[in-house]
Amino acid sequence: MKKTLVFIIMQMCFFVSVAQINTDRVIAIGRNALYFEDYILSIQYFNQAIKAKPWLAQPYFYRAVAKLNLDDYSGAEEDCTLALQQNPFMVQAYYARGIARQSQGKYEGSIEDYLKGMEFRPKDRPMMTNMAIAFMQKKDYIKAKDLFNDIIEAYPRESNGYLARGAMNLETGDTIAALADYDKSIEIDPYYAPAYGSRAILLYQTDKMQEALADVNEAIKLNPREEGFYINRGLIRYHLNDLRGAMSDYDQVIAINDKNLIARFNRGLLRFQVGDNNRAVDDFDAVIALEPDNFMAYYNRALLLSSIGEYNAAIRDYDVILNQYPNFLPGYYNRSDAKRSINDITGAEKDYWYAMELERTHGNQNMQTAAQPDAQEEQSDADTEDKKDTREESDKNINKFNRLVVYDKEDEQRNKYQSEIRGRVQDKNIRVDLEPQFVLSYYEKTAYIKETVKYNKTIEQFNNKDALGWKLTITNREASLNEFQINAHFASINDYSAKIDIDAKNADYYFGRGMDFMLVQDFAEAISNFDQAINADPSYTLAYFNRAAVRYKQMEYELSHSAQDELAEAMSIQFGTNSTKITQTTSVIPEKDSRAFTYEMIIRDYNAVIQQDPSFTFAYFNRANLHCSQRDYKAAILDYNEAIRRNEEFAEAYFNRGLARLSQGDAKRGIADLSKAGELGIINAYSIIKRMSSNN
């Protein structure tokens, strides 16, 4: 529904020319990007327009629309407010802000915005509809029903009014009225697929399976690319004992989108049920890779692994589940069986007797037989009306591990372009790492979007000297060298060595050779050469900076090598039900004396850089990252603050400060920082914002 509403926003806009042709062009290009759902790129253009003419309302509004599509509702609300400060008569900004507030659960504020918008546009159907939905979300069904009735009276030939009222009637349990509304919606517009999809779910819930199947078939005929229709048809076919048909529907979804979690999960359950255990494991592997905290997938995979004799792997999965659900009795009994199968009798007995004691003290209300995928638990009175073999996508009750998932929300339209920054980037499943440290290099990876220029006067002055023959750049996206570049830098090492033989006091020669050694991954020699550059010239700011950066690299490598872990897994965010924090799976610093000594040397180098050039923002950033590696988030935030104070467009600093604040439980300011980082081009910020919002 949100996608439709945002599209309506664009239809409502009045386009006013501005004085300067360049600004017009930037806004026009941004709007083109917005139309083609290239939201990240569009934001960059609107940023430029705002920077050039901050008094214009339009770019704030368009940027808000882009943020709405990225689920950055807080950022969208702020931009709409800025647009309205410039032009309080911009009706579409009230509408967009209403959507942003409604999406954050700020129902009173959203209703106020819709009312304000309707002062300028009385009986505006989209705003009336959204306001009615806001009343529904507040559980004020009387006002919602009255407003839906007003909408239908004002627009009797609009099918969406009946469709929305039908959803409200279904929510209040009036299935007869809901069915009548869905029938009327289809009568008015027999070519609108969501109406058939909604009626199909109602018919399914009332056990009218053949009629439900006919409706979902029609929905698929009208929109054959909608994944949710196939998922729900698979569910209906399952209840009609058409397992082959259900399986083919999930196959079809995965052919459209191999990252669809519901289709993967449901197909895994069906494969389990028909005894196709190895391929069922493959499906749950895919689910866990895409959603590492899907504990139901872990449990089903554990059962499957046990069934095919992979007991050690099964035990690892049971460990994950029981760490999350320490009172889940079937987990202990099944882990006990798995341990017994590998002759771990002590461990098996411990699990078994612990489960027996847990059952004695807590009762068996949560107990269920977990040996088969189609097992069903005894349900409480509150669950008696639910179908025993299905669950909503949002239902994370581990006792429903063996239930097929119903597609319970409208899927977003897929973008025609395949790109890391196009379409709904917030839906991409990404590992959440700190933005890495900056380092001086000659190369960097190509950015997917235009970024702010990384500038520092000390670096510029050094490049103007042309002391090295290569131009230094500051980057945190280091590029790997190709064969030609590797050979060139080895040759350069020889050249600098020859020059040093002639002039052993030239600091630039040592620095240049240190750069070459760093690029060919010889960290010890790089540090040695930076040492000698500093000995020759104690004011050599860039040598201090890169020495610290290389020491950090060396430290990371040594830890990774000794722990046999990937360095990229060092920092991650865990999103739990009640808390969000940054955790470290490995320590980034070596142990005890070596750790403290290395840490102190790096800190001293960054202190020296800052003392010599207080405007060197990257030193504050890197020092903050080092503090994060020690879990000293308070000190890290102070350094990120300083970096941002000196460069208000330092996207990486906003991103990392957001993660540091989240680690301290400061969700409000953490999300605000991530929103700003997303605005400035850090696309992963939107994924985190969405995941945070779904957990709150």
Side-chain angles (χ1 to χ4, degrees):
M1 182 189 72
K2 186 198 74 178
K3 181 71 177 181
T4 303
L5 297 177
V6 172
F7 177 73
I8 294 171
I9 293 177
M10 302 308 300
Q11 291 181 314
M12 295 171 66
C13 298
F14 292 109
F15 305 123
V16 181
S17 296
V18 293
Q20 195 173 54
I21 187 66
N22 287 344
T23 306
D24 282 344
R25 179 168 175 76
V26 168
I27 294 175
I29 296 171
R31 285 177 50 206
N32 285 340
L34 194 60
Y35 177 81
F36 288 107
E37 302 182 10
D38 204 342
Y39 305 122
I40 300 293
L41 181 61
S42 72
I43 286 174
Q44 306 309 306
Y45 284 113
F46 300 137
N47 288 347
Q48 294 178 40
I50 289 167
K51 189 172 183 179
K53 292 187 175 181
W55 59 87
L56 292 179
Q58 278 187 316
Y60 291 109
F61 166 70
Y62 291 131
R63 192 170 70 179
V65 174
K67 289 179 179 180
L68 277 176
N69 279 276
L70 293 165
D71 291 350
D72 179 9
Y73 304 120
S74 176
E77 179 184 359
E78 181 180 356
D79 274 347
C80 287
T81 300
L82 291 169
L84 290 168
Q85 287 175 359
Q86 307 304 323
N87 180 2
F89 303 103
M90 184 177 256
V91 180
Q92 62 268 37
Y94 289 109
Y95 179 52
R97 190 171 68 179
I99 293 173
R101 286 175 168 173
Q102 192 168 355
S103 300
Q104 297 175 83
K106 300 177 179 179
Y107 304 127
E108 290 292 346
S110 68
I111 290 168
E112 291 175 6
D113 275 333
Y114 298 139
L115 287 172
K116 185 66 176 180
M118 285 191 290
E119 289 180 11
F120 301 97
R121 293 186 184 176
K123 298 291 184 181
D124 181 90
R125 183 175 58 82
M127 283 191 274
M128 290 176 72
T129 301
N130 278 12
M131 187 162 64
I133 293 170
F135 280 125
M136 278 180 59
Q137 292 168 319
K138 286 181 59 185
K139 309 299 183 184
D140 189 343
Y141 296 113
I142 294 175
K143 288 185 179 178
K145 187 173 184 178
D146 289 343
L147 195 49
F148 278 128
N149 292 341
D150 290 344
I151 294 167
I152 290 170
E153 182 180 354
Y155 303 95
R157 300 306 301 168
E158 290 288 342
S159 65
N160 279 330
Y162 291 97
L163 192 59
R165 190 175 69 178
M168 184 205 69
N169 285 326
L170 185 59
E171 185 171 327
T172 58
D174 191 346
T175 56
I176 295 174
L179 183 59
D181 278 335
Y182 290 149
D183 288 344
K184 185 65 176 179
S185 176
I186 290 170
E187 177 189 328
I188 293 171
D189 185 357
Y191 303 104
Y192 189 49
Y196 290 98
S198 296
R199 191 171 69 178
I201 291 297
L202 172 57
L203 293 168
Y204 161 78
Q205 291 175 342
T206 53
D207 290 320
K208 297 177 180 178
M209 296 298 170
Q210 290 294 345
E211 294 176 57
L213 181 61
D215 267 355
V216 77
N217 284 341
E218 187 64 24
I220 289 171
K221 180 180 176 181
L222 292 169
N223 185 1
R225 300 295 295 176
E226 174 55 59
E227 299 163 22
F229 296 153
Y230 292 100
I231 289 171
N232 287 341
R233 187 171 70 177
L235 188 65
I236 293 166
R237 284 175 162 175
Y238 174 80
H239 282 283
L240 291 170
N241 293 317
D242 181 8
L243 297 187
R244 186 185 298 273
M247 196 83 75
S248 70
D249 276 331
Y250 298 133
D251 289 342
Q252 179 65 30
V253 174
I254 293 165
I256 295 171
N257 174 16
D258 65 358
K259 293 180 173 57
N260 188 295
L261 290 168
I262 300 177
R264 287 280 189 183
F265 188 95
N266 285 1
R267 190 174 71 174
L269 287 180
L270 291 186
R271 284 175 166 174
F272 196 170
Q273 185 168 336
V274 300
D276 190 359
N277 292 350
N278 286 297
R279 293 208 298 166
V281 169
D282 292 340
D283 275 333
F284 289 118
D285 284 344
V287 171
I288 291 167
L290 293 166
E291 192 175 58
D293 60 352
N294 191 318
F295 298 102
M296 297 185 193
Y298 276 105
Y299 190 62
N300 281 293
R301 188 174 70 176
L303 296 174
L304 283 159
L305 290 168
S306 289
S307 73
I308 61 176
E310 297 286 345
Y311 300 113
N312 287 312
I315 290 168
R316 288 194 293 270
D317 279 351
Y318 288 132
D319 291 343
V320 171
I321 297 153
L322 294 172
N323 283 337
Q324 181 69 18
Y325 299 98
N327 295 326
F328 184 50
L329 290 175
Y332 290 102
Y333 285 124
N334 282 289
R335 188 171 69 177
S336 174
D337 289 342
K339 288 179 177 180
R340 195 176 303 277
S341 297
I342 61 171
N343 293 320
D344 180 7
I345 305 303
T346 301
E349 290 294 309
K350 181 179 179 181
D351 275 345
Y352 180 80
W353 289 112
Y354 182 83
M356 290 289 288
E357 178 64 18
L358 194 64
E359 188 173 359
R360 186 186 67 81
T361 56
H362 290 79
N364 63 354
Q365 66 271 23
N366 290 325
M367 182 59 185
Q368 64 187 68
T369 58
Q372 298 297 330
D374 58 344
Q376 300 169 356
E377 81 255 36
E378 296 180 11
Q379 296 176 304
S380 65
D381 292 341
D383 283 341
T384 54
E385 295 182 359
D386 292 342
K387 291 187 178 293
K388 292 184 178 182
D389 47 7
T390 63
R391 65 177 173 87
E392 298 296 313
E393 183 185 9
S394 55
D395 188 346
K396 303 302 183 183
N397 184 347
I398 188 63
N399 291 305
K400 300 178 182 179
F401 71 93
N402 53 354
R403 296 186 178 192
L404 294 173
V405 181
V406 182
Y407 186 80
D408 63 348
K409 65 178 181 181
E410 289 186 15
D411 195 17
E412 299 294 335
Q413 179 182 354
R414 294 294 182 260
N415 195 287
K416 68 180 78 172
Y417 301 104
Q418 297 299 317
S419 166
E420 287 298 314
I421 62 167
R422 295 180 186 273
R424 290 180 53 82
V425 297
Q426 77 281 10
D427 286 338
K428 297 180 184 296
N429 190 285
I430 51 98
R431 172 173 291 282
V432 184
D433 296 324
L434 289 173
E435 281 293 303
Q437 69 164 358
F438 282 85
V439 64
L440 293 165
S441 182
Y442 305 132
Y443 315 102
E444 66 178 344
K445 293 177 183 176
T446 303
Y448 287 107
I449 59 175
K450 183 178 180 181
E451 296 182 333
T452 56
V453 177
K454 301 294 190 295
Y455 171 81
N456 174 263
K457 67 178 182 180
T458 300
I459 300 172
E460 183 182 49
Q461 291 169 358
F462 184 86
N463 282 329
N464 289 338
K465 293 193 324 180
D466 197 26
L468 303 181
W470 276 292
K471 184 178 180 180
L472 284 175
T473 186
I474 187 83
T475 182
N476 69 340
R477 299 190 321 275
E478 295 178 79
S480 300
L481 303 187
N482 59 38
E483 185 177 355
F484 172 81
Q485 292 165 338
I486 291 171
N487 292 335
H489 286 289
F490 275 119
S492 179
I493 289 170
N494 293 333
D495 289 342
Y496 279 122
S497 296
K499 292 177 180 178
I500 289 169
D501 287 341
I502 298 171
D503 181 4
K505 294 183 179 180
N506 190 312
D508 288 337
Y509 293 163
Y510 290 109
F511 181 75
R513 192 168 66 176
M515 289 291 301
D516 290 327
F517 277 119
M518 181 194 77
L519 291 168
V520 298
Q521 305 299 314
D522 190 338
F523 297 147
E525 282 298 322
I527 291 171
S528 175
N529 276 270
F530 293 141
D531 288 344
Q532 293 178 78
I534 291 167
N535 289 337
D537 180 3
S539 66
Y540 211 121
T541 305
L542 302 185
Y544 286 104
F545 182 82
N546 252 25
R547 184 171 70 177
V550 173
R551 277 179 172 151
Y552 192 81
K553 283 170 165 284
Q554 185 181 48
M555 184 175 60
E556 291 176 326
Y557 170 77
E558 290 173 354
L559 177 66
S560 175
H561 185 70
S562 62
Q564 297 181 351
D565 283 328
E566 290 292 334
L567 179 63
E569 295 177 358
M571 298 292 291
S572 65
I573 278 194
Q574 292 182 343
F575 292 88
T577 304
N578 299 316
S579 65
T580 300
K581 60 182 180 179
I582 293 179
T583 63
Q584 287 190 260
T585 57
T586 59
S587 173
V588 176
I589 308 295
E591 293 296 321
K592 298 181 180 178
D593 294 340
S594 176
R595 175 175 63 185
F597 181 69
T598 305
Y599 178 83
E600 182 61 28
M601 286 194 297
I602 296 173
I603 288 290
R604 286 181 182 179
D605 276 348
Y606 286 134
N607 290 346
V609 173
I610 291 168
Q611 183 178 5
Q612 293 180 11
D613 181 4
S615 69
F616 209 113
T617 55
F618 309 103
Y620 297 103
F621 179 91
N622 284 7
R623 192 170 67 180
N625 276 15
L626 188 62
H627 290 315
C628 280
S629 76
Q630 299 292 296
R631 299 187 181 90
D632 188 356
Y633 300 114
K634 183 176 181 181
I637 289 170
L638 291 175
D639 271 336
Y640 290 134
N641 289 346
E642 190 64 20
I644 291 167
R645 186 180 73 81
R646 295 175 180 279
N647 178 3
E648 294 181 352
E649 296 185 351
F650 201 155
E652 295 85 352
Y654 284 105
F655 183 88
N656 285 6
R657 188 175 70 177
L659 299 189
R661 282 175 165 167
L662 291 179
S663 74
Q664 293 189 313
D666 189 353
K668 182 177 181 180
R669 289 199 295 175
I671 290 175
D673 275 342
L674 292 173
S675 173
K676 185 64 175 180
E679 175 185 313
L680 293 170
I682 306 294
I683 63 174
N684 288 351
Y686 294 107
S687 176
I688 303 170
I689 290 170
K690 178 178 180 180
R691 289 161 65 181
M692 280 294 298
S693 299
S694 66
N695 284 312
N696 289 331

